[in-house]
């Protein structure tokens, strides 16, 4: 049975692990990732999900949320381009699909329902589907 995470909790609370404050010279990506881990996951935007999933952060909690978004709009867009959330999901650490096969099946259903995909997403989807 699929269980959705508590949307009022942050990744830090859900994982029971607080990351240290990033150093003052940290990159924007590092600082943003650390800050997003403290935000309730129900408040994360498509861009926030794309960024965290793209960094393989909090996948067990964020992939169910991302798949909800993708069911409604497979080409959901963060700040980069149309379909960037799907692209991030398709390029996650491959072990997550072994650990959570129900999420992988959900993603397969979403991809199968799509009638067209841009070439770069088609390649990623084909790689995912063949594994």
């Amino acid at each position: 049975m699929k269980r959705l995470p508590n949307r009022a909790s942050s990744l830090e609370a859900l994982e029971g692990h607080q990351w240290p404050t990033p150093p003052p010279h940290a990159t924007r990506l590092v600082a943003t990732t650390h800050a997003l881990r403290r935000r309730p996951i129900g408040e994360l935007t498509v861009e926030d999900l794309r960024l965290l999933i793209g960094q393989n952060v909090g996948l067990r909690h964020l992939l169910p949320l991302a798949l909800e978004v993708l069911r409604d709009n497979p080409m959901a867009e963060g700040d980069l381009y149309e379909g960037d959330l799907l692209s991030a999901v398709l390029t996650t650490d491959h072990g997550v699909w072994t650990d959570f096969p129900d999420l992988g099946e959900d993603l397969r259903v979403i991809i199968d329902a799509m009638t067209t995909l841009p070439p770069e997403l088609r390649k990623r989807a084909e790689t995912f589907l063949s594994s």
Side-chain angles (χ1 to χ4, degrees), residues 45-123:
T45 65
V46 170
E47 173 59 15
D48 298 337
L49 290 170
R50 181 204 63 80
L51 186 145
L52 289 167
I53 290 169
Q55 295 300 309
N56 288 310
V57 172
L59 295 178
R60 73 177 305 127
H61 305 290
L62 299 182
L63 284 174
L65 300 178
L67 292 174
E68 281 183 357
V69 171
L70 294 173
R71 268 186 225 99
D72 291 337
N73 178 8
M75 295 301 289
E77 178 177 352
D79 289 351
L80 296 179
Y81 55 87
E82 186 179 31
D84 60 5
L85 179 59
L86 177 59
S87 179
V89 168
L90 288 169
T91 56
T92 58
D93 179 12
H94 212 284
V96 74
W97 306 114
T98 303
D99 294 342
F100 303 102
D102 56 326
L103 295 178
E105 186 54 37
D106 288 350
L107 183 55
R108 288 177 192 282
V109 169
I110 292 166
I111 293 168
D112 287 343
M114 298 179 75
T115 56
T116 61
L117 273 171
E120 65 278 0
L121 284 177
R122 169 68 50 209
K123 287 180 186 177

Side-chain angles (χ1 to χ4, degrees), residues 11-58:
L11 284 174
E12 285 189 347
L14 291 166
E15 294 176 347
H17 179 69
Q18 184 176 0
W19 287 6
T21 302
H25 61 278
T27 65
R28 181 175 172 267
L29 176 61
V30 169
T32 301
T33 300
H34 280 251
L36 291 175
R37 282 186 42 81
R38 295 182 187 102
R39 185 178 299 165
I41 63 171
E43 295 178 11
L44 297 175
T45 65
V46 170
E47 173 59 15
D48 298 337
L49 290 170
R50 181 204 63 80
L51 186 145
L52 289 167
I53 290 169
Q55 295 300 309
N56 288 310
V57 172

